[in-house]
Amino acid sequence: MYDNVFVMDHPLIQHKLSILRDEKTDSKQFRELISEIAMLMAYESTRDLPLKEVETKTPIAVTKTKVLDGKKMAIVPILRAGLGMVDGLLNLVPAARVGHIGMYRDPKTHKPVDYYCKLPKDLGERDVFVLDPMLATGGSAVDAVTRIKEFNPKRIKFMCIIAAPEGLEAFTKVHPDVPVYCAGLDERLNENCYIVPGLGDAGDRIFGTK
Ligand code: PRP
Ligand code: URA
């Protein structure tokens, strides 16, 4: 339906997403699930990381093996809610660098307001995974990726848990070169620009602030 958008329909991801959406799921379990889903999504979305051949001496013989080529990737969560996905990726790629971009949606205009940006200096030599559980209007993701592109990274991927069609439309229009990975593609946004059916406010559910 959209070019460069991948909905991850693995049964484990879909099972966990179902529990994540449930309003009865508490903050502790919500945090655990976000992290687990992010890890499973990372496994799928890192399939095309480049490899190089090295020589390895096993206890039996010397052989050719494969290891990741180049510098390890960078992970950039969009604060706050993107923080919930970081551990999941670090479980798989512990040497990844972590940058942070702080953004919140203005409650009236729903436009992103950025308040923080700290990124690894050598981003130009890395693949970057941008993390945010929710792609609603797409404003936050569009602005975050625009900011990251100023550093000319090798490649950028955007990973969210739930995407709205409006957000995908907006994001893929501005950044057609950036693949989007999501676990669920929902119906629409409501009048407050929340995703329907969605899971509510991801940041509040992760940090228990409501
Ligand atoms: C949420 C979410 C995204 C943004 C998505 O953050 O984590 O960053 O909204 O909406 P958009 O696609 O319409 O821009 P929020 O502004 O609630 O901040 P928080 O993570 O600090 O709670
Ligand atoms: N941010 C959220 O946390 N949830 C939504 O549904 C939309 C934006």
Side-chain angles (χ1 to χ4, degrees):
M1 194 165 39
Y2 297 91
D3 286 341
N4 232 4
V5 173
F6 304 94
V7 182
M8 306 207 145
D9 56 2
H10 191 289
L12 287 176
I13 295 178
Q14 292 306 311
H15 179 84
K16 289 174 192 294
L17 177 59
S18 171
I19 307 170
L20 191 73
R21 288 184 190 275
D22 191 330
E23 64 174 4
K24 294 195 291 297
T25 298
D26 66 16
S27 276
K28 176 178 179 290
Q29 200 185 3
F30 193 90
R31 273 197 297 273
E32 289 165 359
L33 286 162
I34 286 262
S35 180
E36 287 164 11
I37 293 171
M39 184 170 73
L40 293 167
M41 291 180 71
Y43 181 74
E44 285 289 318
S45 57
T46 48
R47 242 172 216 295
D48 59 351
L49 285 179
L51 292 170
K52 68 176 178 194
E53 212 164 53
V54 294
E55 209 163 77
T56 302
K57 188 169 182 301
T58 78
I60 309 296
V62 174
T63 184
K64 300 254 191 266
T65 57
K66 287 175 180 159
V67 296
L68 290 173
D69 193 18
K71 293 208 172 178
K72 295 296 179 295
M73 63 199 216
I75 299 167
V76 181
I78 302 177
L79 307 179
R80 290 176 297 171
L83 286 174
M85 300 170 74
V86 172
D87 277 359
L89 272 86
L90 286 179
N91 281 340
L92 291 188
V93 191
R97 297 296 158 92
V98 184
H100 295 88
I101 289 187
M103 281 189 182
Y104 69 88
R105 289 201 316 182
D106 181 283
K108 285 209 179 78
T109 64
H110 306 125
K111 299 267 181 260
V113 181
D114 69 292
Y115 59 89
Y116 188 75
C117 182
K118 185 86 180 173
L119 299 170
K121 283 205 179 63
D122 58 358
L123 216 55
E125 298 165 58
R126 295 178 188 271
D127 283 347
V128 180
F129 280 67
V130 184
L131 311 178
D132 193 325
M134 310 305 275
L135 184 71
T137 65
S140 308
V142 165
D143 285 7
V145 169
T146 300
R147 192 84 185 258
I148 289 166
K149 278 186 173 175
E150 290 166 13
F151 291 75
N152 289 316
K154 288 205 298 205
R155 289 187 302 178
I156 305 176
K157 294 181 177 187
F158 180 74
M159 196 185 293
C160 59
I161 302 223
I162 298 181
E166 294 88 336
L168 284 177
E169 195 73 40
F171 187 87
T172 54
K173 204 172 189 174
V174 182
H175 298 300
D177 53 318
V178 177
V180 177
Y181 297 87
C182 62
L185 173 48
D186 277 11
E187 287 163 27
R188 62 185 169 89
L189 298 178
N190 69 11
E191 60 286 2
N192 298 317
C193 289
Y194 273 82
I195 301 175
V196 181
L199 48 70
D201 189 301
D204 283 340
R205 294 195 68 183
I206 290 171
F207 296 108
T209 40
K210 217 169 203 170

